[in-house]
Amino acid sequence: MNNSLMHMTRRHINQISVKSETQIPMKNEASEFKAKIMNFLYSHKQRPIPTSEKNVILTNCPHCYKVRKNSFAAHLDLQKGVYHCKTCKSKGSFNELRRVLDKKMPNSFESDSFAIIPPSSGLMGTMDDTSKSSFLISDLDYTTSLINDAELLDQLHQKHRITKETLTTYGVGTTRLNDVSCLTFPQTTITYDNYDAFKFDTVRIKMCSLEDPTQVVRLDPPTSGKEDTSGLFGYQTASLTDDTIILTRRELDAMAAYQATGLPALSIPTSNYQLQESVLPLLDRFKKIYLWMDDDVNGQIAAERFARKLGEHRCQLISNTRQGDQLGPINAYDALMKDQDLKEIIKTSAHGIKHDQIVDFRDVREDVYNEVLHPEQTMGVQSNDLPSLNKILKGHRPGELTIFTGPTGAGKTTIASQLSLDFCKSGVPTLWGSFEIMNKRLAKKMLYQFAEMDLSTAPEEFDRIADQFEQLPLYFLKFFSSTAIKDVLQACHHAVYSYDIRHIILDNLQFMLSQQAGNGKDKWELQDNAIAEIRKFATQQDVHITLVVHPRKENNMTDELDINSIFGSVKVTQEADNVMILQKSKTDHRSLDIKKNRFDGTLGTIHYRFDRNTFKICELTKEEMISRKKDQFKHSSTTVLYPRRN
């Protein structure tokens, strides 16, 4: 790292730039012109960097952008207002650059048209806004607290083998939050300030448990989905001349990789394997990116997904951290702890992505090995709320379509909400599309389920619970009632790219397609086309889609529903990988019937009761099952597992 950059890093690593009107000097015409150019670039998701030439910055060439491999090659003179690209040799005025970039990269504010909002927006209005507190990180000097604590530094070195120099370089600090000792990890970016200079700013602090740094206690400020709060841990370790970095899953991995290899190492914003669209511009300037995710099924799938977002031509995947040892390290931090040579791991394990349509066994050998080592990851994410669901469906897997139906008012949305929250808490980025109830009402239901209590009886707990809820990788579609399937899937596609969404809930099919029949299409054809598009989307984007569908209106709605009771043609259930039916008996006993399971064919029934205190369903205990059978044996069904016949 050069001296000038290190000076900027030390000065700005642990503070957010706080500007007041009295701090901003009077701008002359030249400064206003420079600010105009920089504001345009930032609003179009560009992250330019300074060069050795005064008033000249390096940014993406509008002609090469998304066309050529080395597009980050345009030298733009902020004073003269002209640019030239070293890749395609194009040159011209700033106005020409602006016209071309406008066509390729719309203003970032236009992303609102995709109608996706984070959980914090869904909570707006559920409680009085004045109850929301603000935590000012600019007033705290976390790093000084750690650097001055020799005993704690020694403990961290003994426990994690991270040196004081590395901790200082990354600006790691310490604090206490709600009587919990925390390590603070700053997420930084590079910005152009009002003094015609670039500097590193901390835009967010991730506070993690001191005992277990993988456990996030709080993000400050909370994730909001806004462009101006996008940063990466360790971004300041890459000097303005560096063109190669390592990108890891967690902060400890980044520090371990940097300490052992000397290469700049960054970590993604959260450990949920999300590389949000808003941070991608920060990585545009690097020509080679080593993606060092966990050496397991989920980690390697995420690495390949990130490589396609960042550009396969400049990404190298490190997929054999174990080096053939079943008990070997799973990531960079683990390798440091086990005294492995991290430079050698990079040298022998890094590889690019080959053509996805042509492979041989050598290309998939490591993938197969990971599935042998981690069969539980192949089965999918496990449910913590309904253990019996794991015995039947085996897990929640990407690329599948689940159809969920049940009588009107029986609690389909409540169960879909609970299950999606269950998986989301396990790190599955989730997108909710509710076409029947407003987002505010849905978010309130999910917040109560998350808290497992009625917050209206304890409003003083709202801030604490809401702060935790906001950290979930949970987003909502703003669509409501009748919406064209094309618009819904366009928004879903944006969410998959921008937030790495892995689970989408659409509730429900009838409300989404209402009043759209016509123009030569009847409602059956309309529904069949929608199902086909949803099925194709789930497969191509490798996401799990849960689709809520109403049952047919039959004469005797007190009878148990079966797979033929689902509204629409047979195509609905043919395209589905899983079919779940909520059963409601004459005596109001409830159960979940798994009527289709394409993964291994196991079917079964889960009897449950609704807990009004937690707003969640709970499986019946053995004693409760016996009592129910004795009470109303003729109206209930037993839990039976039917193995697939060979």
Side-chain angles (χ1 to χ4, degrees):
M1 187 181 297
N2 59 42
N3 292 334
S4 61
L5 183 67
M6 180 67 78
H7 176 70
M8 285 195 297
T9 300
R10 289 171 179 162
R11 181 180 176 185
H12 298 284
I13 183 67
N14 294 301
Q15 58 179 318
I16 284 185
S17 177
V18 181
K19 302 180 180 69
S20 65
E21 293 182 3
T22 59
Q23 292 176 303
I24 302 175
M26 295 296 293
K27 293 182 178 180
N28 54 33
E29 187 175 343
S31 295
E32 289 180 353
F33 183 62
K34 294 177 183 178
K36 176 183 176 182
I37 294 176
M38 296 303 299
N39 289 336
F40 171 82
L41 293 175
Y42 283 144
S43 68
H44 287 70
K45 302 180 181 179
Q46 304 302 300
R47 285 289 172 178
I49 61 173
T51 66
S52 57
E53 300 180 61
K54 186 178 180 181
N55 294 318
V56 177
I57 61 173
L58 188 63
T59 187
N60 279 300
C61 170
H63 301 283
C64 298
Y65 193 52
K66 296 186 177 181
V67 177
R68 295 177 175 86
K69 292 181 178 180
N70 184 22
S71 66
F72 201 80
H75 288 71
L76 175 59
D77 192 315
L78 297 177
Q79 194 167 28
K80 297 178 181 179
V82 295
Y83 78 95
H84 69 276
C85 175
K86 291 191 174 181
T87 297
C88 68
K89 309 304 180 184
S90 64
K91 58 183 178 179
S93 67
F94 167 67
N95 287 333
E96 293 172 349
L97 180 147
R98 181 171 58 185
R99 282 195 297 270
V100 178
L101 191 59
D102 258 330
K103 294 178 181 179
K104 287 193 174 184
M105 180 61 68
N107 189 294
S108 60
F109 294 111
E110 293 183 16
S111 63
D112 290 341
S113 62
F114 288 106
I116 298 172
I117 57 177
S120 55
S121 299
L123 289 172
M124 291 295 288
T126 60
M127 296 289 284
D128 188 351
D129 289 341
T130 59
S131 67
K132 188 77 178 82
S133 62
S134 177
F135 194 76
L136 300 177
I137 66 174
S138 58
D139 294 337
L140 301 177
D141 193 351
Y142 303 125
T143 303
T144 303
S145 298
L146 176 59
I147 300 304
N148 291 337
D149 192 336
E151 182 180 353
L152 181 55
L153 284 171
D154 184 62
Q155 291 177 7
L156 292 174
H157 186 255
Q158 292 295 325
K159 184 176 181 180
H160 302 294
R161 298 193 180 182
I162 304 297
T163 66
K164 176 182 177 180
E165 291 72 24
T166 300
L167 293 169
T168 303
T169 299
Y170 279 85
V172 178
T174 183
T175 188
R176 287 186 67 81
L177 184 65
N178 299 327
D179 295 326
V180 176
S181 295
C182 299
L183 287 176
T184 59
F185 299 120
Q187 296 178 358
T188 58
T189 186
I190 187 170
T191 59
Y192 186 80
D193 69 5
N194 289 288
Y195 298 97
D196 295 341
F198 283 89
K199 63 184 178 63
F200 283 102
D201 275 340
T202 296
V203 294
R204 176 174 288 120
I205 294 286
K206 180 191 285 189
M207 302 177 186
C208 299
S209 168
L210 180 62
E211 292 300 318
D212 182 6
T214 64
Q215 297 299 314
V216 179
V217 177
R218 182 173 183 174
L219 289 177
D220 188 11
T223 52
S224 63
K226 295 182 179 179
E227 299 290 333
D228 58 356
T229 54
S230 299
L232 291 167
F233 176 74
Y235 191 67
Q236 75 283 356
T237 63
S239 71
L240 300 177
T241 57
D242 283 327
D243 61 2
T244 301
I245 61 166
I246 299 172
L247 188 62
T248 68
R249 181 185 184 187
R250 298 185 179 91
E251 290 78 15
L252 289 177
D253 294 325
M255 290 189 287
Y258 171 81
Q259 183 173 298
T261 68
L263 289 173
L266 294 58
S267 70
I268 58 179
T270 72
S271 60
N272 298 322
Y273 287 128
Q274 286 181 281
L275 188 62
Q276 294 91 335
E277 183 187 22
S278 57
V279 303
L280 297 183
L282 297 177
L283 303 172
D284 280 344
R285 65 188 178 100
F286 302 112
K287 295 180 180 178
K288 179 181 285 187
I289 300 176
Y290 290 107
L291 294 172
W292 201 338
M293 302 296 136
D294 287 358
D295 190 4
D296 56 19
V297 176
N298 293 333
Q300 295 311 302
I301 290 175
E304 292 187 9
R305 191 168 70 245
F306 293 164
R308 293 188 175 94
K309 292 175 73 169
L310 294 168
E312 297 176 18
H313 63 279
R314 61 184 180 134
C315 290
Q316 293 283 302
L317 279 61
I318 300 176
S319 60
N320 188 19
T321 306
R322 289 191 178 87
Q323 298 287 285
D325 183 359
Q326 181 177 345
L327 301 178
I330 194 173
N331 50 42
Y333 168 69
D334 202 14
L336 181 70
M337 295 296 292
K338 294 183 177 180
D339 295 319
Q340 300 295 307
D341 187 340
L342 276 70
K343 288 184 179 180
E344 185 65 20
I345 292 176
I346 293 177
K347 181 180 178 181
T348 58
S349 301
H351 64 88
I353 295 182
K354 296 186 178 181
H355 196 291
D356 58 357
Q357 301 299 324
I358 305 172
V359 297
D360 58 26
F361 182 70
R362 287 174 297 178
D363 298 322
V364 298
R365 177 170 176 162
E366 283 301 319
D367 296 333
V368 173
Y369 184 55
N370 275 325
E371 292 197 3
V372 170
L373 289 181
H374 305 282
E376 74 285 351
Q377 292 186 6
T378 306
M379 291 189 291
V381 179
Q382 301 296 291
S383 171
N384 295 310
D385 287 352
L386 298 178
S388 292
L389 193 64
N390 302 326
K391 296 179 181 179
I392 302 173
L393 291 178
K394 304 303 182 292
H396 178 84
R397 295 168 293 276
E400 293 188 352
L401 172 62
T402 294
I403 298 296
F404 183 33
T405 191
T408 302
K412 294 188 297 295
T413 300
T414 297
I415 295 177
S417 166
Q418 179 179 340
L419 286 176
S420 67
L421 192 60
D422 187 9
F423 298 128
C424 190
K425 286 159 61 178
S426 294
V428 179
T430 301
L431 177 67
W432 248 97
S434 176
F435 301 87
E436 187 173 359
I437 65 175
M438 299 295 289
N439 281 328
K440 181 173 68 173
R441 184 177 160 196
L442 174 62
K444 180 180 176 181
K445 179 193 292 287
M446 298 184 77
L447 183 67
Y448 280 23
Q449 289 180 331
F450 180 78
E452 296 187 347
M453 63 179 294
D454 184 350
L455 286 175
S456 65
T457 63
E460 69 278 2
E461 291 291 309
F462 178 79
D463 282 343
R464 182 180 65 82
I465 299 298
D467 284 347
Q468 296 174 7
F469 186 74
E470 283 184 10
Q471 309 314 317
L472 294 175
L474 175 65
Y475 304 86
F476 299 91
L477 289 172
K478 290 193 286 187
F479 297 127
F480 184 72
S481 193
S482 180
T483 310
I485 187 64
K486 173 178 67 66
D487 295 333
V488 173
L489 294 183
Q490 182 185 21
C492 291
H493 187 277
H494 174 76
V496 170
Y497 176 79
S498 298
Y499 308 112
D500 292 293
I501 295 298
R502 313 305 298 148
H503 184 201
I504 298 172
I505 305 93
L506 301 176
D507 181 17
N508 59 66
L509 183 65
Q510 280 77 11
F511 269 79
M512 183 174 67
L513 300 180
S514 62
Q515 302 176 349
Q516 294 182 36
N519 297 323
K521 288 186 178 180
D522 60 25
K523 61 181 180 181
W524 309 112
E525 184 180 3
L526 181 70
Q527 179 170 306
D528 283 353
N529 290 340
I531 292 293
E533 290 298 318
I534 292 171
R535 168 73 267 179
K536 183 169 69 173
F537 185 91
T539 302
Q540 291 181 345
Q541 299 300 321
D542 197 31
V543 298
H544 192 117
I545 297 182
T546 298
L547 181 63
V548 180
V549 183
H550 283 316
R552 301 176 186 272
K553 293 186 180 297
E554 300 178 345
N555 293 331
N556 188 0
M557 290 301 292
T558 59
D559 291 341
E560 283 198 351
L561 303 175
D562 61 26
I563 202 167
N564 297 313
S565 302
I566 299 175
F567 185 86
S569 70
V570 69
K571 188 177 182 67
V572 178
T573 54
Q574 282 181 339
E575 295 284 8
D577 296 285
N578 313 297
V579 175
M580 297 197 309
I581 300 179
L582 192 163
Q583 304 286 8
K584 180 181 177 182
S585 70
K586 295 179 180 179
T587 55
D588 203 30
H589 289 161
R590 313 289 176 96
S591 62
L592 274 180
D593 249 348
I594 313 303
K595 292 293 189 181
K596 183 177 181 180
N597 172 11
R598 187 169 280 163
F599 182 72
D600 72 352
T602 304
L603 307 179
T605 302
I606 304 171
H607 296 273
Y608 70 87
R609 59 179 175 80
F610 179 70
D611 187 340
R612 296 185 180 277
N613 294 320
T614 63
F615 299 89
K616 298 166 70 174
I617 66 170
C618 306
E619 292 185 28
L620 294 185
T621 63
K622 291 183 178 180
E623 292 74 16
E624 289 173 326
M625 280 294 298
I626 294 173
S627 176
R628 174 179 286 192
K629 289 177 182 178
K630 288 182 178 179
D631 184 36
Q632 295 289 343
F633 178 81
K634 64 179 180 179
H635 296 298
S636 63
S637 59
T638 57
T639 301
V640 182
L641 301 181
Y642 302 96
R644 170 179 283 177
R645 294 180 179 177
N646 295 324

